[in-house]
Amino acid sequence: MRIKLKVNNKTEEIDIEPHEILLDVLRKLGYYSVRRGCDTGMCGICTVLFDGKPIPSCSVFAARADGHEITTVEGLEDAKAFAKLLSEEGADQCGYCSPGLILNTVYLKKIGVKDLNKAKIKLIGNLCRCTGYESQHRAITKFLGVTK
Amino acid sequence: MIYFKEYLKPKNLQEAYEVLTSKNAKIIGGATFLKLSNQSFETAIDLIDAKLDFIRESENEIEIGAMVTLSEFGDNPIISNLYNGFLKNITENILSFQMRNLITVGGTIFPKFGFSDLITGLLVLETEVHLYKNGKIRLEDFLNTKIQKDILEKITIKKKPLAVSFKNIKNSEYDFSIINIAVSKSENEVKIAVGARPAMAVLITKDLNFFEDIDKAVESLLNKIKFSDDLRASKIYRQKVCKALLKRALREVIQ
């Protein structure tokens, strides 16, 4: 089947198998920031925005995205600003989980989260095996402008 | 992995039902955990375009469409205000934020998942399931049916003056519950639902008088609830945790 979707505001058309997963199709299209992690929706690494909301792309059929908008980290204006903070705080070690974390954190900023505890709860599904999360939390605090 | 040859997004329930009953087809709900199941069928039906993502409130009840995601469900002010956020608090702690953007109310209820926290919470409210072909059924009755070729359109929750409590325990923050318990108290009746036993949730209804001595009442109730072992916990562990959680929940709503 052929699907048409908008990725980072660019219209893409591709032939897929009906049961193909969005993660695989996005990588076929060249969006390599979308990385494979646990493949069960639990690690957050493959996160993309589907019509503006974060979802694990390993847990969605690509056919569902037909006619919808997908945003990867390449398409986020604020991504570089947050990536710089991650780097400054030493929170970007292997960097494998960064695209998912960046997408989710930028989304939290968009919906106005300014409380670090709320941010931590919303980011529960973003696993990182390098940082121990403290350095990530420092970067998140600065990026969101956390007030308490 | 799930394999199928055709993916359809019907615009309405009639169209979806025709496909469901004329082909080897399945409704895919939120379609999470794709790689944890092994299924093969002809046609996948996605209800994303069937306009089932509504939450409406009338004087006596709240209607929730089957394709409402757990995020929408938890964020909605109508749901947030219902019983001091009882259902919002339940859904806010299910898995991760990203997964809650995919998991749907219908996709949780229709397959009658044993681990579901939401089903346990809804059981102690007056919840009805609205099926396209089989019509309106009380949730507790629906859980005991074997209906498969039908489509969950919406659920309705009757607004009643109730005191409610929900308790659960997990191995980690975003794992499934090892055991979950919901209790509601009306003027003279108490409803208790116990789920993740790990089997499907059960509902027990008793007169308020039955709980004059909560410790005795809980001992008596535990004899009527079946628990089992699975990878997350043993039968004995579940029984012991259930006893403690049930007492806490009952004290919250009764005293």
Side-chain angles (χ1 to χ4, degrees):
Chain A
M1 67 184 288
R2 191 160 183 81
I3 61 165
K4 190 175 174 181
L5 63 164
K6 213 175 237 185
V7 187
N8 302 334
N9 284 324
K10 181 186 170 197
T11 302
E12 301 272 13
E13 280 193 63
I14 184 170
D15 287 315
I16 61 160
E17 291 295 327
H19 57 262
E20 267 190 278
I21 305 297
L22 182 59
L23 163 66
D24 298 320
V25 171
L26 287 171
R27 288 185 66 84
K28 271 186 195 172
L29 286 167
Y31 298 96
Y32 297 120
S33 72
V34 189
R35 293 170 182 163
R36 188 181 307 283
C38 67
D39 250 354
T40 60
M42 303 300 275
C43 74
I45 284 168
C46 66
T47 299
V48 296
L49 303 183
F50 187 107
D51 291 341
K53 287 188 174 179
I55 53 118
S57 60
C58 71
S59 299
V60 182
F61 291 114
R64 172 172 274 197
D66 187 19
H68 291 266
E69 287 189 21
I70 304 295
T71 308
T72 69
V73 79
E74 294 98 329
L76 278 183
E77 278 182 21
D78 274 353
K80 280 188 181 166
F82 184 50
K84 189 166 176 282
L85 287 171
L86 286 173
S87 171
E88 284 171 5
E89 295 296 336
D92 218 4
Q93 294 181 24
C94 85
Y96 199 73
C97 68
S98 296
L101 177 70
I102 292 170
L103 273 155
N104 278 301
T105 309
V106 170
Y107 178 77
L108 293 184
K109 188 169 189 176
K110 190 181 160 198
I111 61 171
V113 174
K114 287 202 167 193
D115 179 312
L116 185 59
N117 282 331
K118 277 187 188 164
K120 282 181 185 174
I121 291 168
K122 292 278 190 193
L123 293 170
I124 274 173
N126 285 84
L127 302 186
C128 173
R129 58 189 178 176
C130 306
T131 63
Y133 303 103
E134 284 304 318
S135 49
Q136 290 187 348
H137 291 160
R138 288 197 300 271
I140 292 164
T141 299
K142 286 185 179 173
F143 182 70
L144 296 181
V146 167
T147 50
K148 57 174 180 174
Chain B
M1 193 54 202
I2 301 175
Y3 293 97
F4 44 82
K5 293 174 191 160
E6 189 182 25
Y7 192 96
L8 297 178
K9 294 198 267 189
K11 302 277 184 219
N12 55 57
L13 290 179
Q14 188 185 343
E15 206 181 307
Y17 187 74
E18 277 166 20
V19 177
L20 183 68
T21 49
S22 63
K23 296 182 174 185
N24 176 16
K26 282 194 177 181
I27 302 216
I28 57 164
T32 48
F33 303 118
L34 302 178
K35 304 218 169 153
L36 293 180
S37 73
N38 197 11
Q39 296 181 54
S40 182
F41 48 93
E42 191 184 342
T43 305
I45 303 170
D46 185 348
L47 297 174
I48 192 170
D49 292 338
K51 300 178 187 69
L52 297 177
D53 56 351
F54 56 85
I55 297 179
R56 296 190 283 248
E57 185 178 29
S58 65
E59 196 181 334
N60 300 319
E61 64 182 23
I62 291 167
E63 288 182 312
I64 301 159
M67 288 302 283
V68 170
T69 65
L70 293 193
S71 292
E72 291 163 345
F73 190 75
D75 291 344
N76 187 282
I78 298 168
I79 303 293
S80 300
N81 292 330
L82 187 67
Y83 304 119
N84 294 322
F86 173 67
L87 293 173
K88 175 189 166 74
N89 294 338
I90 292 173
T91 50
E92 264 187 352
N93 290 307
I94 292 173
L95 298 175
S96 67
F97 180 51
Q98 298 99 296
M99 288 295 267
R100 291 195 298 275
N101 280 331
L102 283 182
I103 299 168
T104 59
V105 171
T108 303
I109 295 173
F110 195 83
K112 304 167 185 168
F113 288 129
F115 55 73
S116 171
D117 291 340
L118 181 60
I119 289 178
T120 301
L122 289 171
L123 269 173
V124 299
L125 310 179
E126 279 196 36
T127 306
E128 287 173 328
V129 169
H130 296 247
L131 301 170
Y132 180 70
K133 201 68 188 171
N134 284 280
K136 191 163 68 175
I137 307 174
R138 289 193 312 170
L139 177 59
E140 55 267 42
D141 297 333
F142 170 72
L143 294 178
N144 292 315
T145 67
K146 289 186 177 170
I147 295 169
Q148 284 189 326
K149 286 281 177 184
D150 206 338
I151 302 168
L152 178 58
E153 181 187 351
K154 63 182 179 183
I155 61 168
T156 50
I157 302 167
K158 293 263 186 299
K159 290 199 240 172
K160 299 273 179 183
L162 296 173
V164 289
S165 177
F166 178 83
K167 306 280 177 203
N168 67 337
I169 187 167
K170 301 173 182 182
N171 279 327
S172 71
E173 189 94 46
Y174 72 132
D175 196 359
F176 295 122
S177 292
I178 288 172
I179 193 89
N180 59 37
I181 287 160
V183 176
S184 73
K185 182 184 82 75
S186 59
E187 200 176 327
N188 46 24
E189 191 179 73
V190 174
K191 285 184 176 183
I192 294 165
V194 180
R197 302 172 294 119
M200 200 168 57
V202 287
L203 177 69
I204 299 168
T205 304
K206 292 279 182 192
D207 283 346
L208 185 55
N209 298 336
F210 181 78
F211 298 94
E212 274 178 9
D213 182 332
I214 288 179
D215 289 348
K216 269 190 189 169
V218 167
E219 291 295 341
S220 160
L221 287 170
L222 283 174
N223 291 327
K224 292 176 185 159
I225 303 167
K226 285 186 182 168
F227 300 91
S228 311
D229 300 334
D230 72 354
L231 282 172
R232 288 190 175 78
S234 67
K235 173 183 172 179
I236 294 167
Y237 184 78
R238 283 195 163 92
Q239 273 172 332
K240 288 185 184 293
V241 173
C242 183
K243 185 176 173 178
L245 297 184
L246 197 47
K247 282 182 187 176
R248 283 182 208 168
L250 283 164
R251 288 197 173 105
E252 267 181 31
V253 300
I254 292 171
Q255 290 173 351

